[in-house]
Amino acid sequence: MELTQEYIDSSILKGDEMYDKVVEQARKNGSVSVTWVQQVFRLNWHSSAHIVGRMEQEGLCELYKGGNGHRKIIQ
């Protein structure tokens, strides 16, 4: 798939649609990562990264610290 602005915008929209479901499940798990979102919710990397980035911005999870990519849920 060619990486176009339309594709990225569509991915962000899909991420926004799935956001609440991902947050709910991440809270149950206690952590979140882009890879986990991709695997569990069958989303592409752009959608998954958007969701995790939004969770970071909203203070729901820790900022990325390296390592395996998992971020602890804060609230």
Side-chain angles (χ1 to χ4, degrees):
M1 161 138 309
E2 186 179 341
L3 187 61
T4 64
Q5 190 61 49
E6 182 180 356
Y7 175 78
I8 294 170
D9 292 344
S10 172
S11 297
I12 290 170
L13 182 60
K14 182 66 174 176
D16 287 338
E17 291 170 357
M18 296 296 295
Y19 184 75
D20 291 334
K21 290 180 184 180
V22 173
V23 169
E24 180 182 347
Q25 188 62 46
R27 283 184 170 148
K28 290 177 184 176
N29 292 349
S31 68
V32 67
S33 72
V34 174
T35 302
W36 175 81
V37 174
Q38 284 179 279
Q39 293 172 347
V40 172
F41 294 93
R42 300 283 191 219
L43 295 171
N44 66 33
W45 184 88
H46 296 284
S47 298
S48 301
H50 173 71
I51 290 169
V52 174
R54 183 173 161 190
M55 289 177 72
E56 287 178 351
Q57 289 176 342
E58 293 181 7
L60 300 178
C61 67
E62 296 176 330
L63 298 177
Y64 179 67
K65 295 180 182 176
N68 66 8
H70 283 273
R71 296 145 174 89
K72 183 178 174 185
I73 299 299
I74 297 171
Q75 47 174 309

